[in-house]
C-alpha cells in the first residue's frame, strides 16, 4: 500500500482483507464472480485494489448488511438506468449510507434494550428469584426485534387485501426492499429487453434465469399469493414506466417484453 493520505493509495489483497475483517478467500471469490475485482496492476504484474475499489467494497458490505445476496448486490451496483456511464447508477450513495446508518442504529437500540432486560433478569436470578413470564417475553421480543415497516403500493391495480400483502411483505424485508424493488427488478427487465431486442429466443437459458429471478422477487413481495403475483406482473405489463420509475421512452416496448418473458416461463418460442 502506498503512503497513507496519498490519492493513489492501493492495497494488496492480504492487507485489504486484514483491514476490513474479511478473508483473502472471500476477496478472491468476489473477484472470480466479478463482484469486486482489483483495478490496478503493478509493473510486476501484481493486482492491487484502488480507492475506487474500496468505495465499491463499502457498497457491497453495506448492501450485504441489509440482507441482500451477492447476485442481487452485483445487479444493483452494475445496473444502468440509461443515465451517466452506467456504473452504479442504480444505487444512490447517500441513501445507502442512510440505510446502513439506520440499520446500525436500529441494531444498537435493540441491543441496548436487550442489555437492560438481561441485566434485570440477572439481578432477579442473583437475588434467588426466578424471572417473571413478562420479563422472559420482553427479552424474547428484544432478541427477535423486527425491521421497521416500509410502505409499498402498486397504484390502484390491486385491491386493498393485495396492497396490504405487499406492504406487509416489504416491511418484513426492511431497507433491502428499496434495492430489490427499485434497483434490481428494473435492471432485470432492462437485461431481458436487451436480449429480446437482440433477437435472443425466450427459451435461451439467460432469459429463463432472468424470468425466474423476477418470479422469485414477485413471490417474496406477494407472500406467495399467486393472485397478487399475477397482478404485479400485469402492472409491469400495463405500465412499466410507473413500475420502474424510468422515462417512458426507456420502457417503450416493455409490453412486448412481458409476452417474451411469459414464453420464457413456459419454455416456448413466439
Amino acid at each position: 500500500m502506498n503512503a497513507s493520505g496519498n490519492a493513489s493509495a492501493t492495497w494488496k489483497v492480504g492487507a485489504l482483507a486484514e483491514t476490513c475483517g474479511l478473508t483473502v478467500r472471500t476477496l478472491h471469490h468476489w473477484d472470480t464472480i466479478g463482484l469486486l475485482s482489483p483495478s490496478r496492476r503493478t509493473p510486476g504484474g501484481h493486482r492491487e485494489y484502488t480507492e475506487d475499489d474500496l468505495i465499491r467494497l463499502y457498497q457491497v458490505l453495506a448492501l450485504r448488511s441489509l440482507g441482500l445476496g451477492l447476485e442481487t448486490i452485483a445487479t444493483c451496483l452494475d445496473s444502468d438506468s440509461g443515465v451517466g456511464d452506467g456504473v452504479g447508477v442504480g444505487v444512490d450513495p447517500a441513501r445507502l449510507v442512510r440505510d446502513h446508518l439506520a440499520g446500525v442504529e436500529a441494531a444498537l437500540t435493540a441491543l441496548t434494550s436487550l442489555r437492560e432486560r438481561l441485566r434485570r433478569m440477572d439481578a432477579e436470578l442473583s437475588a434467588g428469584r426466578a424471572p417473571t413470564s413478562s420479563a422472559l417475553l420482553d427479552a424474547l421480543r428484544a432478541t427477535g426485534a423486527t425491521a421497521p415497516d416500509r410502505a409499498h403500493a402498486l397504484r390502484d391495480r390491486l385491491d386493498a387485501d393485495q396492497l396490504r400483502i405487499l406492504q406487509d411483505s416489504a416491511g418484513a424485508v426492511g431497507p433491502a426492499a428499496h434495492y430489490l424493488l427499485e434497483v434490481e427488478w428494473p435492471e432485470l427487465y432492462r437485461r431481458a429487453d436487451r436480449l429480446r431486442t437482440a433477437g435472443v429466443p425466450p427459451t435461451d437459458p439467460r432469459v429463463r434465469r432472468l424470468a425466474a429471478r423476477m418470479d422469485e422477487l414477485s413471490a417474496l413481495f406477494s407472500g406467495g399469493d399467486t393472485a397478487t403475483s399475477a397482478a404485479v406482473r400485469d402492472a409491469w405489463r400495463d405500465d412499466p414506466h410507473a413500475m420502474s420509475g424510468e422515462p417512458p421512452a426507456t420502457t417503450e416496448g416493455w409490453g412486448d417484453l412481458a409476452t417474451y418473458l411469459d414464453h420464457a416461463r413456459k419454455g416456448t418460442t413466439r
Side-chain angles (χ1 to χ4, degrees):
M1 188 177 93
N2 291 336
S4 176
N6 190 329
S8 60
T10 58
W11 291 261
K12 292 182 179 178
V13 63
L16 183 61
E18 182 178 358
T19 300
C20 299
L22 299 170
T23 65
V24 170
R25 183 176 181 179
T26 293
L27 290 177
H28 280 159
H29 174 62
W30 290 357
D31 182 13
T32 299
I33 64 176
L35 179 62
L36 176 70
S37 298
S39 299
R40 185 175 181 273
R41 190 178 293 275
T42 67
H46 298 290
R47 302 184 68 187
E48 295 180 334
Y49 294 86
T50 66
E51 291 188 351
D52 285 342
D53 296 331
L54 260 63
I55 293 173
R56 184 175 175 97
L57 174 59
Y58 165 73
Q59 294 174 323
V60 170
L61 295 177
L63 289 170
R64 193 174 66 165
S65 76
L66 297 177
L68 299 181
L70 295 182
E71 187 173 348
T72 292
I73 291 171
T75 301
C76 289
L77 294 182
D78 297 331
S79 65
D80 180 3
S81 63
V83 179
D85 59 11
V87 178
V89 169
V91 175
D92 177 0
R95 174 165 190 148
L96 179 56
V97 170
R98 288 195 300 269
D99 286 342
H100 192 189
L101 176 60
V104 171
E105 290 179 340
L108 287 173
T109 299
L111 286 172
T112 299
S113 177
L114 177 59
R115 181 181 62 185
E116 294 305 314
R117 285 167 169 78
L118 291 175
R119 281 178 172 171
R120 287 196 292 270
M121 289 174 63
D122 180 55
E124 292 290 317
L125 290 169
S126 296
R129 297 187 296 270
T132 65
S133 298
S134 177
L136 287 171
L137 288 174
D138 283 345
L140 288 172
R141 291 190 190 99
T143 301
T146 57
D149 290 338
R150 290 174 58 89
H152 174 69
L154 280 164
R155 295 182 178 269
D156 57 356
R157 288 177 174 77
L158 284 74
D159 61 32
D161 289 337
Q162 291 171 331
L163 290 174
R164 191 174 301 109
I165 288 173
L166 291 178
Q167 183 174 1
D168 291 345
S169 298
V173 172
H178 163 75
Y179 301 95
L180 294 172
L181 288 171
E182 300 181 32
V183 182
E184 183 185 12
W185 212 333
E187 176 64 10
L188 295 174
Y189 269 84
R190 286 191 292 268
R191 293 182 181 184
D193 197 43
R194 286 196 288 269
L195 292 172
R196 179 184 70 87
T197 55
V200 176
T203 52
D204 187 282
R206 292 171 293 175
V207 185
R208 301 196 70 181
R209 280 196 298 269
L210 291 171
R213 178 55 180 163
M214 292 177 191
D215 291 344
E216 287 177 0
L217 292 175
S218 179
L220 175 64
F221 288 100
S222 67
D225 184 83
T226 55
T228 302
S229 292
V232 171
R233 284 200 299 272
D234 288 343
W236 275 98
R237 181 193 304 271
D238 297 340
D239 197 349
H241 161 58
M243 291 295 294
S244 66
E246 297 186 7
T250 304
T251 58
E252 186 176 353
W254 278 20
D256 294 334
L257 175 61
T259 301
Y260 178 75
L261 290 169
D262 284 342
H263 283 295
R265 293 181 178 96
K266 297 174 184 176
T268 60
T269 58
R270 284 176 290 181

